[in-house]
Amino acid sequence: MSSGGLLVAGTTSDAGKSVVTAGICRWLVRQGVKVAPFKAQNMSLNSFVTREGAEIGRAQAMQAQACRVEPTALMNPVLLKPGGERSSQVVLMGRPVGEMSARGYHGGRQEQLLGTVLDCLEQLRNQYDAVICEGAGSPAEINLRRTDIVNMGVARNAGLPVLVVGDIDRGGVFASFFGTVALLSPEDQELVAGFLVNKFRGDVSLLEPGLEMLHGLTGRRTYGVLPFRHGLGIDEEDGMGVGAVRESAVAAPAGEELLRVAVCAVPLMSNFTDVDALAAEPGVVVRFVDRPDELADADLVVVPGTRGTVRALRWLRERGLADALVRRAAEGRPLLGVCGGFQLLGEHIEDDVESRAGRVDGLGVLPVRVRFAREKTLARPVGEALGERVEGYEIHHGVAEVLGGEAFLDGCRVGATWGTHWHGALESDGFRRAFLRTVAERAGRRFVPAPDTSFAALREQQLDRLGDLIEQHADTDALWRLIESGAPRGLPFIPPGAPA
């Protein structure tokens, strides 16, 4: 028999679905419930590799951690990785199956995947007491409803109650709640149980008359009002929020000086969560930059991963950042390239797969030549660097031939320039501290890494904060009834409903 479940939908993208889903998961697991996350289809450049070598959305890996379970491909069967304005790589059950235009995907391919999606969800529901599903964008995208496999398409087929999250900090949340329900068909509306207000600032008593009027208008209750909290945007799905970094407070340094890190905000930036571990260090200031003058006072410059290495290389040259990076390397000032950022620091790239640009000259600061293979490398390597154990994960088509320099993980080091394909390496505490000590020495900074920073512990604390939000500011008894028993019967229809 299938378990209980819930679909967390949103009035818009970035309404807070990912963090609310994680918060509900952490609250449930603290109550002794065996729970799993699920997102049928994710569009994200932030991805993760599971232990079985499957690529899934980074947000679902974070939600699995909130559930205290190992992430698997079942939790995110379809992942779309944008490669431009109109096309994406389709990753099915953790493996890439090709590039597809948005028209081609929504024109038929998406519908074909519904069976796979529902099978994955059913497997999870047979294994867990509850499955908390995350929707995508808005469930009221009337132009896409026919082929929907992530919002009401999943809810209808799996009989899931739906909780709609709205970001009140943006304004217009009452209209968004009402309009979302009113644009759904009668059959879809029957599953929309109610609402959850997110990012509220101020006195809740001032909001309550509006919530009562919303209940009168829709027949649906509000299950909670979550207050605004800084720094909760962990492992986001795209580059809009650049992880928790832009909201993070910089703690006082353990040494005498701060360490400044500049991250080049390249196009199609992927797995920018790599630098969250740096931002978690007391005294480390991380900022994202797009001009050469912003590199001048940086003690370390990071060129992050990207879904478009050749495009990123062109962007760096157009903005003058490429010349600044080359000068920096020649001057022996610290520079780190990760994945695509590592590839473009090499001598040249042969790309007949991602950009189909053929041979393109790199920046030439590392003795590396890159050839793009059609088969994607997906791995969870473990190694050693700077005398410390390192764990990471790899997601790349580029195959690097290292021709010199000093060995550094799977890449190399020349002077104060490092390059590697390994994402997540900086989450290894001992290695991160050793790396920052080396950077500070090369940069001439009196910076000392704190001896006791545990990135894993900080992540757990952050997930507990999400669980606390749900426990303290949502009606958890009503939420559990929803998960266990489904949407209330007899919910009224709100006209006009979805167009025919």
Side-chain angles (χ1 to χ4, degrees):
M1 181 178 176
S2 294
S3 70
L6 174 69
L7 177 73
V8 178
T11 56
T12 62
S13 295
D14 203 33
K17 296 183 293 292
S18 294
V19 294
V20 166
T21 299
I24 293 174
C25 287
R26 178 49 62 101
W27 160 66
L28 285 171
V29 82
R30 293 195 308 207
Q31 308 309 307
V33 178
K34 187 180 178 186
V35 60
F38 179 76
K39 184 162 186 172
Q41 172 196 291
N42 199 344
M43 178 171 279
S44 178
L45 287 171
N46 271 348
S47 58
F48 182 76
V49 179
T50 67
R51 294 215 178 272
E52 70 267 30
E55 184 179 8
I56 67 172
R58 181 91 196 189
Q60 279 60 66
M62 176 267 291
Q63 291 161 358
Q65 187 175 348
C67 296
R68 298 181 179 142
V69 299
E70 192 67 35
T72 73
L74 291 175
M75 297 171 183
N76 179 208
V78 182
L79 173 64
L80 306 178
K81 302 192 73 174
E85 294 296 323
R86 296 186 178 181
S87 69
S88 294
Q89 182 181 66
V90 181
V91 179
L92 179 62
M93 295 304 296
R95 298 288 172 181
V97 294
E99 297 279 337
M100 189 167 289
S101 68
R103 179 177 291 276
Y105 183 68
H106 290 288
R109 176 61 168 161
Q110 187 178 31
E111 266 185 303
Q112 297 168 10
L113 297 175
L114 181 61
T116 299
V117 162
L118 294 175
D119 180 64
C120 290
L121 177 56
E122 187 64 17
Q123 288 187 56
L124 290 174
R125 295 181 79 182
N126 287 330
Q127 295 172 27
Y128 292 88
D129 300 328
V131 179
I132 307 304
C133 308
E134 180 188 343
S138 161
E141 305 290 358
I142 54 179
N143 56 316
L144 303 177
R145 175 62 185 90
R146 183 180 63 82
T147 58
D148 171 46
I149 65 168
V150 64
N151 290 306
M152 300 312 299
V154 167
R156 281 271 292 280
N157 279 282
L160 295 173
V162 178
L163 184 69
V164 181
V165 177
D167 179 358
I168 197 169
D169 199 46
R170 295 181 173 192
V173 75
F174 292 117
S176 298
F177 281 145
F178 183 88
T180 296
V181 179
L183 281 177
L184 299 178
S185 68
E187 296 81 4
D188 286 351
Q189 287 194 25
E190 287 177 3
L191 294 173
V192 179
F195 314 107
L196 188 74
V197 176
N198 192 28
K199 300 184 184 178
F200 180 71
R201 306 175 193 248
D203 185 346
V204 176
S205 66
L206 298 177
L207 189 65
E208 287 171 352
L211 300 179
E212 291 172 8
M213 286 185 272
L214 182 67
H215 183 270
L217 288 166
T218 67
R220 290 158 175 86
R221 59 168 297 176
T222 297
Y223 284 76
V225 177
L226 307 185
F228 186 95
R229 291 287 186 267
H230 283 284
L232 293 181
I234 55 178
D235 290 3
E236 298 184 35
E237 294 183 354
D238 54 44
M240 296 301 291
V242 292
V245 170
R246 282 186 176 168
E247 291 186 293
S248 64
V250 179
E256 297 178 44
E257 293 185 314
L258 297 169
L259 199 71
R260 294 168 175 80
V261 179
V263 184
C264 296
V266 295
L268 299 176
M269 182 169 52
S270 61
N271 288 73
F272 52 81
T273 47
D274 284 334
V275 299
D276 283 355
L278 295 179
E281 282 285 347
V284 175
V285 181
V286 177
R287 67 184 189 277
F288 286 74
V289 303
D290 58 8
R291 299 194 310 269
D293 56 284
E294 294 177 299
L295 305 185
D297 66 344
D299 302 307
L300 170 66
V301 172
V302 178
V303 187
T306 170
R307 173 80 168 87
T309 304
V310 170
R311 178 176 169 181
L313 192 53
R314 184 169 60 247
W315 180 87
L316 290 169
R317 286 181 167 132
E318 288 171 350
R319 289 179 170 263
L321 281 161
D323 290 340
L325 294 174
V326 171
R327 283 195 304 272
R328 184 179 187 87
E331 293 165 359
R333 302 179 65 200
L335 173 62
L336 171 66
V338 180
C339 201
F342 164 46
Q343 295 167 5
L344 60 80
L345 294 179
E347 295 174 3
H348 68 250
I349 297 166
E350 292 183 19
D351 181 10
D352 296 318
V353 176
E354 193 174 77
S355 68
R356 298 181 176 84
R359 178 165 169 155
V360 178
D361 288 337
L363 299 188
V365 298
L366 288 176
V368 174
R369 294 173 184 172
V370 176
R371 174 184 55 81
F372 272 65
R374 296 198 177 277
E375 187 73 19
K376 181 185 280 191
T377 296
L378 297 169
R380 289 279 292 270
V382 177
E384 185 176 302
L386 303 179
E388 299 285 347
R389 187 176 186 273
V390 188
E391 294 184 37
Y393 57 100
E394 294 183 66
I395 306 169
H396 55 92
H397 283 280
V399 178
E401 180 186 6
V402 179
L403 303 172
E406 177 186 339
F408 177 70
L409 301 176
D410 70 319
C412 65
R413 171 188 179 178
V414 174
T417 299
W418 296 264
T420 177
H421 276 127
W422 290 22
H423 295 290
L426 292 165
E427 294 179 19
S428 298
D429 297 328
F431 167 70
R432 182 180 65 254
R433 286 192 278 268
F435 180 71
L436 289 175
R437 281 194 294 269
T438 303
V439 166
E441 182 182 345
R442 295 301 297 250
R445 290 286 182 191
R446 293 187 300 277
F447 169 85
V448 178
D452 55 355
T453 302
S454 166
F455 186 72
L458 290 171
R459 175 59 57 88
E460 277 296 302
Q461 291 171 17
Q462 207 165 18
L463 291 171
D464 276 333
R465 289 178 68 200
L466 298 181
D468 292 343
L469 276 179
I470 298 299
E471 190 168 329
Q472 297 167 11
H473 301 283
D475 185 338
T476 52
D477 288 341
L479 263 183
W480 177 245
R481 286 195 298 272
L482 202 58
I483 292 166
E484 195 174 38
S485 306
R489 296 185 180 277
L491 292 170
F493 171 70
I494 308 303

